[in-house]
């Protein structure tokens, strides 16, 4: 039997996934694979490989020099927007004398690197991962030789000292003991222990209300023990190590500045067009004389703030009050014509977590919804994995406008997330059907009728998605990216499904180990884990240098909250995305939204490519950090050609999922630029009553919103606020809430 190769590919806006399977047995002298990208005009680009032959050095070489030896999948990151095929050829010979096979060679199906995935849906993914060799070498070049190693060493020392200090308090009967038995969490530089200042919002995503109550009462909020908690020698060592680490943070200021600066190549490379993608609804509304309703959690990126100010005349925005973080946005908009509403939730355990835009036309009929996980911060755009989605649908826009009005009414009533809001969210909207058959179920939060999690059963949003997970079968393919959802959560449900049905192909990446299920699915020797945690290479490995995990002070590395499912039996894709952290806490205490989208093949493939690329990135770092990555050099003995039975079945399932592209409808303009919204003259498909965007009837027009000019008041208390350097500063003006009361702001955690 002769040896042959089969190749399949799929893409999103930031990467192409190339998969292959070699049949017919191992080939003597085969050293790996050359992968070539072929553009629509015939231009051929040999793609790079980071792995050298033994004894060789360098960062990358073309894959005809250092062939690819991955077991069945490779990612081509950030190819120019356009249409491509991929040629995969076996390279035979010796390291210094390689030739491409003329028989073991094949070309993939065509893929489109674009945001346009149907005539009604666009999706955009950033890269946002700093634990890369590119960023590590950038730091060495722009922050000074030795900066990276000094930063990593100081970070490790501070983490170890904080852990030791935490251990010294485990026997305490103080509120610190509430966290006994919990693992500390690495929040991007500060390895926070039980007393080192967990922010309450992040804390609530990970721990119990009782522990968070103690933190919120101040017992755990300080950076050292207070009150009845005795100081230990370990506390002093931890404080000293943390101060030494803070000194190293300043040396990374060029990195921080780069990701804040529009047009900076590093910022653009990490954002991958997501900023322009999210600005496009505002640009279209301006061109049409339309309007934007916006619900936002964090807004600190100066480019975004400038865009809001420039488009203030068409803007209604409900913006979360979270400490001083959003103050620049409040200050920029307070004297404009924008309708600006500050939302500070009365429940100290709740967060106004939405990231929503609704675009209406000049007749004030909603036309487009933008959602996803992207906060409007430089870290949100460039320092964490995130995604955004835009949907053209009058019916869906009307549902989101109704949610906006429900949030506005609740804000005027004291931002209590009261019964009216909860009942609105608890009664799910009618599913929306697009003209191509795609169905969309939106779920708004808080949808739990109580402000406390149920003692039995699941909250409504998580309960809805649990039915999709319960319906998984052997051979289905699942990929998820999650932040810190708390428990119970979708990662918990996915782990249980995988344990029950081992034949499900499942790849899940989480931002923090606190998101891992208590019971993990077992894996056989040599088999990939089902779950991986975001991490960086900690020590030099082969030709690789250590990496940082995130921006200084960051704690979110994967910020997407996405699940994509391929149902093998029906050949159907299901995508779950939005701002919701996919845990019961978000159903219960957050302003949030979930989109469950079924039947859009290109959307499913795009989310699958993105989610799997994140999983593979952190999987490799897990293997390196646990000593399971081999030597870090190419195998010259041919063992790389061998697949286990489990690996072979998994690869077959993934390639079958990618083959669904063959029957996918092609958007009317597949060469979408990735940032351009439909021209104002292009009609949005009319709608029928009953949530169907495939008919002819038009929904009733919304009235133009009454302009409510924002007001500000001076704080009534003359007490100065303490700055981080110990100096004092005058209190800033505070934008009023819907009831006109000045509020004390809390700091954001995302």
């Amino acid at each position: 039997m002769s040896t042959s190769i089969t190749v399949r590919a799929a893409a999103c806006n930031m990467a192409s996934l190339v998969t292959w399977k070699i049949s017919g047995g191992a080939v003597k002298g085969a050293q790996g694979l050359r992968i070539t990208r072929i553009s629509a005009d015939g231009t051929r680009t040999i793609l790079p490989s980071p792995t050298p032959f033994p004894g060789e050095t360098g960062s990358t070489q073309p894959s005809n020099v250092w062939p690819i030896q991955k077991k069945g999948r490779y990612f081509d990151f950030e190819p120019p927007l356009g249409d491509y095929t991929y040629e995969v050829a076996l390279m035979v010979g010796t390291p210094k004398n390689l030739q491409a096979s003329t028989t073991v060679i094949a070309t993939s199906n065509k893929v489109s690197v674009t945001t346009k995935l149907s005539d009604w849906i666009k999706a955009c993914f950033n890269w946002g991962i700093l634990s890369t060799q590119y960023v590590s070498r950038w730091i060495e070049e722009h922050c000074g030789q030795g900066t990276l190693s000094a930063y990593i060493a100081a970070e490790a020392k501070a983490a170890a000292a904080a852990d030791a200090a935490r251990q010294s308090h485990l026997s305490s009967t103080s509120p610190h003991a509430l966290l006994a038995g919990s693992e500390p969490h690495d929040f991007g530089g500060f390895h926070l222990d039980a007393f080192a200042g967990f922010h309450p919002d992040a804390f609530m995503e990970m721990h119990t209300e009782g522990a968070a109550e103690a933190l919120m009462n101040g017992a755990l909020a300080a950076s050292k023990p207070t009150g009845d908690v005795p100081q230990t020698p370990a506390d002093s060592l931890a404080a000293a190590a943390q101060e030494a680490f803070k000194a190293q943070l300043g040396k990374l200021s060029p990195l921080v500045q780069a990701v804040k600066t529009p047009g900076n190549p590093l910022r653009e490379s990490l954002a991958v067009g997501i900023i322009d993608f999210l600005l496009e609804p505002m640009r279209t509304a301006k061109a049409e004389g339309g309007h934007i309703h916006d619900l936002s959690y964090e807004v600190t990126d100066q480019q975004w703030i400038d865009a809001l100010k420039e488009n203030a005349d068409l803007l209604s925005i409900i913006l979360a009050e979270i400490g001083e973080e959003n103050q620049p946005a409040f200050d920029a908009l307070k004297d404009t014509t924008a309708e600006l509403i500050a939302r500070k939730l009365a429940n100290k355990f709740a967060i106004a977590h939405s990231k929503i835009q609704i675009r209406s036309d000049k007749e004030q009929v909603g036309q487009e919804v933008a959602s996803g996980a992207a906060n409007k911060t430089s870290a949100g755009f460039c320092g964490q994995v995130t995604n955004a989605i835009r949907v053209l649908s009058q019916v869906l826009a009307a549902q989101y406008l109704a949610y906006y009005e429900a949030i506005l009414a609740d804000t005027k009533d004291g931002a209590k997330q009261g019964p009216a809001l909860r009942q609105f969210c608890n009664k799910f909207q009618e599913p929306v059907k697009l003209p191509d058959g795609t169905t969309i179920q939106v779920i708004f939060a808080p949808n739990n009728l109580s402000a406390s999690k149920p003692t039995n059963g699941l909250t409504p949003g998580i309960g809805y998605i649990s039915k999709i997970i319960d319906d998984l079968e052997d051979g289905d393919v699942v990929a998820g990216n999650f932040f810190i959802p708390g428990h119970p959560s979708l990662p918990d449900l996915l782990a249980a499904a995988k344990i029950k049905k081992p034949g499900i192909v499942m790849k899940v990446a989480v931002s923090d180990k606190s998101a891992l299920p208590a019971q993990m699915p077992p894996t056989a020797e040599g088999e990939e884990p089902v779950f991986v945690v975001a991490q960086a290479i900690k020590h030099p490995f082969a030709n690789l240098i250590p990496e940082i995990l995130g921006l200084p002070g960051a704690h979110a590395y994967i910020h997407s909250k996405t699940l994509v499912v391929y149902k093998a039996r029906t050949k159907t894709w299901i995508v779950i995305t939005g701002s919701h952290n996919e845990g019961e806490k978000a159903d219960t205490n957050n302003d949030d939204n979930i989109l469950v989208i079924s039947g859009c093949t290109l959307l499913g493939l795009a989310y699958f490519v993105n989610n799997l690329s994140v999983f593979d990135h952190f999987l490799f770092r897990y293997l390196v950090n646990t000593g399971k990555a081999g030597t870090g050099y190419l195998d010259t003995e041919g063992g790389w050609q061998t697949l286990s039975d489990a690996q072979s079945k998994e690869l077959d399932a993934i390639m079958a999922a990618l083959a669904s592209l063959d029957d996918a409808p092609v958007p009317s303009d597949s060469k979408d630029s990735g940032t351009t919204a439909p021209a104002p003259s292009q009609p949005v498909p009319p709608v029928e009553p009953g949530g169907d965007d495939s008919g002819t009837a038009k929904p009733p027009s919304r009235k133009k919103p009454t302009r409510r000019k924002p007001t500000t008041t001076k704080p009534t208390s003359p007490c100065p606020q303490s700055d981080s350097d110990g100096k004092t500063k005058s209190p800033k003006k505070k934008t009023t809430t819907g009831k006109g009361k000045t509020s004390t702001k809390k700091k954001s955690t995302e």
Side-chain angles (χ1 to χ4, degrees), residues 122-139:
K122 293 183 179 183
C124 188
F125 307 90
N126 76 341
W127 179 233
I129 294 178
L130 298 181
S131 57
T132 65
Q133 294 296 291
Y134 171 73
V135 170
S136 289
R137 298 183 194 282
W138 190 98
I139 291 172

Side-chain angles (χ1 to χ4, degrees), residues 44 140 151 167 187 222 271 291 341 380 385 505 555 568 661 703:
R44 297 172 64 89
E140 289 291 271
Y151 175 92
Q167 291 296 323
F187 275 9
H291 197 80
I341 304 295
V385 174
V505 176
H555 69 271
L661 179 61
K703 294 180 180 179

Side-chain angles (χ1 to χ4, degrees), residues 105-310:
I105 183 171
T107 302
S108 76
N109 53 288
K110 185 185 80 170
V111 300
S112 295
V113 177
T114 179
T115 63
K116 188 168 186 178
L117 304 170
S118 80
D119 287 338
W120 297 270
I121 300 179
K122 293 183 179 183
C124 188
F125 307 90
N126 76 341
W127 179 233
I129 294 178
L130 298 181
S131 57
T132 65
Q133 294 296 291
Y134 171 73
V135 170
S136 289
R137 298 183 194 282
W138 190 98
I139 291 172
E140 289 291 271
E141 178 182 351
H142 294 84
C143 301
Q145 290 291 323
T147 298
L148 181 65
S149 57
Y151 175 92
I152 292 171
E155 179 185 35
K157 187 174 181 179
D163 286 349
R166 176 180 173 277
Q167 291 296 323
S168 73
H169 287 277
L170 288 182
S171 61
S172 171
T173 57
S174 74
H176 290 77
L178 288 168
L179 287 184
S182 298
E183 291 294 325
H185 299 278
D186 183 353
F187 275 9
F190 293 99
H191 205 67
L192 301 180
D193 67 351
F195 57 82
F198 265 120
H199 186 275
D201 295 346
F203 189 88
M204 276 301 299
E205 301 292 345
M206 295 183 289
H207 296 288
T208 66
E209 282 86 346
E213 181 83 39
L215 183 143
M216 294 296 298
N217 288 341
L220 307 181
S223 61
K224 60 182 180 180
T226 57
D228 65 338
V229 182
Q231 182 86 17
T232 71
D235 295 333
S236 299
L237 293 174
Q242 191 176 78
E243 287 303 313
F245 177 61
K246 287 180 180 178
Q248 293 296 327
L249 291 178
K251 296 180 181 180
L252 290 183
S253 58
L255 173 66
V256 176
Q257 190 59 39
V259 299
K260 289 182 177 181
T261 304
N264 183 282
L266 181 61
R267 174 180 166 98
E268 300 304 314
S269 175
L270 292 167
V272 198
I274 200 167
I275 304 172
D276 275 347
F277 181 85
L278 285 168
L279 286 171
E280 202 59 43
M282 273 192 279
R283 293 169 179 160
T284 303
K286 189 171 187 115
E288 293 181 343
H291 197 80
I292 294 290
H293 289 81
D294 186 296
L295 290 160
S296 287
Y297 179 52
E298 287 183 281
V299 178
T300 63
D301 184 80
Q302 192 59 52
Q303 181 181 354
W304 190 267
I305 292 173
D306 290 345
L308 293 178
K309 189 173 182 178
E310 180 182 347

Side-chain angles (χ1 to χ4, degrees), residues 510-697:
V510 298
S511 188
D512 184 88
K513 60 187 175 182
S514 67
L516 292 174
Q519 187 175 3
M520 298 285 284
T523 53
E525 184 67 27
E527 193 177 355
E528 291 179 358
V530 176
F531 289 81
V532 295
V533 179
Q535 55 199 282
I537 292 175
K538 298 177 180 179
H539 306 287
F541 177 72
N543 64 328
L544 306 179
I545 61 177
E547 302 164 341
I548 64 170
L549 183 52
L551 291 168
H555 69 271
Y557 316 114
I558 299 172
H559 197 246
S560 285
K561 311 95 171 28
T562 57
L563 178 65
V564 58
V565 171
Y566 177 69
K567 299 291 297 174
R569 183 169 51 82
T570 60
K571 299 183 179 180
T572 303
W573 287 93
I574 303 171
V575 170
I576 298 168
T577 187
S579 64
H580 192 290
N581 280 333
E582 310 299 1
E584 288 200 331
K585 191 269 177 183
D587 266 357
T588 303
N589 292 127
N590 290 4
D591 297 350
D592 261 321
N593 73 106
I594 305 172
L595 288 163
V596 181
I597 306 174
S598 303
C600 184
T601 296
L602 291 181
L603 181 73
L605 286 165
Y607 271 87
F608 180 71
V609 170
N610 179 254
N611 283 4
L612 188 60
S613 74
V614 174
F615 176 90
D616 274 14
H617 180 85
F618 291 120
L619 170 65
F620 176 70
R621 279 144 185 82
Y622 160 79
L623 295 174
V624 170
N625 291 335
T626 56
K628 300 177 182 179
T631 65
Y633 294 97
L634 292 173
D635 166 26
T636 59
E637 302 299 322
W640 67 273
Q641 299 180 69
T642 303
L643 289 177
S644 68
D645 288 344
Q647 290 170 332
S648 180
K649 289 179 181 178
E650 181 178 281
L651 185 55
D652 287 342
I654 290 174
M655 293 184 73
L658 268 55
S660 65
L661 179 61
D662 294 345
D663 300 320
V666 178
S668 58
D669 180 12
S670 61
K671 294 182 180 179
D672 174 51
S673 68
T675 59
T676 304
S681 59
Q682 179 180 333
V684 174
V687 297
E688 275 184 357
D692 192 339
D693 268 335
S694 61
T696 57

Side-chain angles (χ1 to χ4, degrees), residues 183 469 482-499 506-522 529-533 582:
E183 291 294 325
I469 296 174
F482 299 102
F483 175 47
I484 304 174
H487 302 282
S489 67
L490 294 198
D492 296 331
L493 300 177
L494 289 167
K498 176 67 173 175
I499 292 169
M506 188 176 294
K507 310 291 179 184
V508 180
V510 298
S511 188
D512 184 88
K513 60 187 175 182
S514 67
L516 292 174
Q519 187 175 3
M520 298 285 284
V530 176
F531 289 81
V532 295
V533 179
E582 310 299 1

